[in-house]
Amino acid sequence: MRRLVKSSLLSLFAAGYASFGAPLESYSADLEIEPVSGICIENSPGISSYGPGNVCDSDCRQVSADPFYYFDVDYLFWSRDSGSATRPIIGGPQALNYGGTGSDFESGVRLKAGAAFETFELQFSWSRIDNWNSTQSGQLVNGISFDSGINTSFAGANFINGTTGFRSLFAAAEFNPGGGPDETLEDEGLGPVGIFADAAPTFNVQYRSDFNDYEFITKFAPITSRIKFGVGWRHADLDELMSASINGTFRAVDNAVGANGGLSHAALTAANGGNLMLISGAADGFDDETGLLGGVGPDMLNMNERASTTNSLDGVQFSLDLLVMESDRFLIDTILKVGAYNNKTTGTFVETYSGIGNDNSVYGRTLTDSSNSVAFVGQVGLGTMYRFNDYVRFRFGWDVIFLSGVALAPEQTTVANTTYTVNNDGSLVINGGHVGLEFVY
């Protein structure tokens, strides 16, 4: 009995002394209690929702685990690489190509907010990158044949055909209905060619992408664990635009008797020809210097082809967070995210051929298609954090995002010059860094 009273009095005395700053461990021997190596109090002085920081080890005893809230603001500098198959715009010695086009690093923003509790965490984030933009422009040396450069008039020149862009003009240049205008009697294209010392064609090719990303995730995240498991919803928007524009002087060089001196209205609009519609201007096609189809010729011609796609991905995402290293003020962690998504895709393919000098005819067409398909998104991130105090932390790191099953603008084209089906078999890699601040309370 005396021993029990003595022990109780000593315990009371030790507790009172500890409240004035004496370490609890100094009385462990007298009180015959197990020493405690640390006191786990969330947010102080820990630096993340992984736990209380390096003041706690495997022997740590938790005495408080109040929820805390955090808000992140990150500046993004991300690049993208489509990995799309190269498709020629024109062939020949100065071939131009769609696809295989990357981009420089562009600026963006990411906002993140979350609430961490004793065993789980709720998190919402939004990321946006605008105007990944790649542009090529210049002037060719040679002309461009609309008849594949097979005949002698444009031999050795650049060309369009059934595998390049501007397939409508190739089909119109090969039009021979039998009993009507026979376009095979001449070689059509853009000069210079032969004796015509025209200015060489100029070109502009542009590729643009925009990316939006929304995530809501619930994580199983005990405050003393170095690992978090999460599941949630993710929505991503990927919008793309690819366009090619070429300006030059139209020429039609006879290779047989009966040539009509240009591309006729019939050849441009026939279903088995150019398959185009007259949008505005005179219905007289495009002609050369002879003016046989009307006007004064030679016509100055603008060729424009544009493909745009929208991808709207929605699905379930799983995540794994791992704390790699933590000190009193510094932390390194990594994250892995994977998910399968429904991708609602829309693609639009537009061709326009306009007389911009000596003619006002405009021919063109717009083809649209949409589909739903399965897409995949994976993400790997490595992040670091430095704690200024209990409320403000500095963040920086690197992210890599992989998307497959998406429609990329460079991979869109018509089938046999008559139909268009959106191609959503593309893949995309986004990678880059982030720098920002985290506010905790």
Side-chain angles (χ1 to χ4, degrees):
M1 182 69 177
R2 290 177 58 194
R3 181 178 177 84
L4 177 60
V5 171
K6 179 182 178 182
S7 177
S8 299
L9 290 174
L10 285 172
S11 298
L12 181 62
F13 177 78
Y17 190 83
S19 66
F20 286 92
L24 188 62
E25 290 82 347
S26 64
Y27 294 94
S28 60
D30 292 337
L31 299 180
E32 299 179 355
I33 62 174
E34 182 179 353
V36 177
S37 61
I39 303 299
C40 297
I41 302 177
E42 185 63 35
N43 293 334
S44 180
I47 63 174
S48 78
S49 60
Y50 285 97
N54 71 332
V55 296
C56 295
D57 58 22
S58 59
D59 297 322
C60 175
R61 183 179 67 189
Q62 177 181 314
V63 298
S64 176
D66 294 334
F68 75 97
Y69 309 93
Y70 59 91
F71 181 72
D72 298 354
V73 181
D74 290 336
Y75 167 76
L76 306 178
F77 46 100
W78 284 358
S79 178
R80 48 105 56 224
D81 186 355
S82 69
S84 56
T86 298
R87 182 169 68 85
I89 301 170
I90 62 172
Q94 297 152 318
L96 299 174
N97 295 290
Y98 288 126
T101 305
S103 73
D104 295 329
F105 286 91
E106 295 292 344
S107 300
V109 65
R110 177 167 59 200
L111 304 179
K112 185 186 298 182
F117 301 88
E118 184 174 354
T119 58
F120 71 96
E121 183 178 338
L122 301 176
Q123 185 183 96
F124 174 80
S125 68
W126 168 70
S127 306
R128 180 176 180 86
I129 293 284
D130 276 331
N131 196 25
W132 274 311
N133 196 9
S134 176
T135 302
Q136 305 175 57
S137 60
Q139 186 170 25
L140 303 174
V141 175
N142 300 315
I144 302 175
S145 170
F146 298 170
D147 301 272
S148 303
I150 295 174
N151 297 302
T152 56
S153 302
F154 283 87
N158 303 299
F159 61 86
I160 60 174
N161 61 21
T163 65
T164 68
F166 306 110
R167 297 182 183 183
S168 293
L169 282 190
F170 170 71
E174 296 290 304
F175 181 68
N176 181 11
D182 184 357
E183 300 297 345
T184 64
L185 301 177
E186 59 196 356
D187 304 330
E188 295 95 349
L190 301 182
V193 58
I195 63 172
F196 302 106
D198 304 308
T202 60
F203 66 89
N204 182 274
V205 181
Q206 185 179 36
Y207 187 11
R208 172 174 173 165
S209 293
D210 299 320
F211 182 68
N212 269 298
D213 189 19
Y214 303 84
E215 299 177 66
F216 179 79
I217 195 163
T218 301
K219 299 180 181 181
F220 175 67
I223 62 171
T224 57
S225 175
R226 302 175 71 90
I227 299 176
K228 304 178 190 179
F229 297 97
V231 60
W233 165 84
R234 187 171 192 170
H235 172 85
D237 293 312
L238 175 67
D239 299 332
E240 295 218 325
L241 172 67
M242 188 88 194
S243 66
S245 178
I246 298 178
N247 294 333
T249 304
F250 179 81
R251 294 293 182 180
V253 182
D254 296 354
N255 59 50
V257 177
N260 61 17
L263 283 175
S264 67
H265 174 80
L268 290 165
T269 58
N272 58 340
N275 198 28
L276 301 169
M277 296 180 60
L278 178 67
I279 297 175
S280 64
D284 59 0
F286 303 113
D287 63 357
D288 63 9
E289 74 288 346
T290 64
L292 294 177
L293 296 178
V296 296
D299 293 344
M300 298 296 297
L301 179 62
N302 170 261
M303 305 157 50
N304 188 278
E305 183 178 271
R306 184 173 75 251
S308 60
T309 60
T310 62
N311 298 269
S312 182
L313 289 74
D314 285 279
V316 176
Q317 174 176 259
F318 299 92
S319 71
L320 173 65
D321 298 42
L322 175 63
L323 179 61
V324 178
M325 187 275 285
E326 184 178 25
S327 67
D328 196 22
R329 292 189 177 273
F330 191 71
L331 172 151
I332 299 177
D333 67 350
T334 185
I335 185 169
L336 171 66
K337 301 177 183 178
V338 294
Y341 303 83
N342 175 71
N343 183 13
K344 183 178 181 181
T345 307
T346 300
T348 303
F349 189 84
V350 180
E351 290 179 274
T352 306
Y353 303 96
S354 308
I356 56 174
N358 298 330
D359 192 9
N360 64 356
S361 300
V362 179
Y363 293 85
R365 63 177 177 177
T366 300
L367 306 173
T368 301
D369 186 40
S370 60
S371 70
N372 286 276
S373 60
V374 177
F376 169 83
V377 178
Q379 181 172 349
V380 178
L382 180 67
T384 61
M385 187 183 298
Y386 179 81
R387 171 178 172 267
F388 291 119
N389 53 48
D390 289 346
Y391 306 102
V392 181
R393 295 95 185 264
F394 175 69
R395 293 164 41 85
F396 60 97
W398 198 265
D399 303 283
V400 179
I401 303 175
F402 174 77
L403 298 89
S404 67
V406 293
L408 303 177
E411 297 182 349
Q412 308 306 309
T413 187
T414 58
V415 178
N417 191 46
T418 56
T419 59
Y420 167 66
T421 301
V422 63
N423 179 355
N424 52 17
D425 293 331
S427 61
L428 175 71
V429 177
I430 299 170
N431 77 98
H434 65 266
V435 177
L437 292 175
E438 179 172 272
F439 303 93
V440 178
Y441 64 95

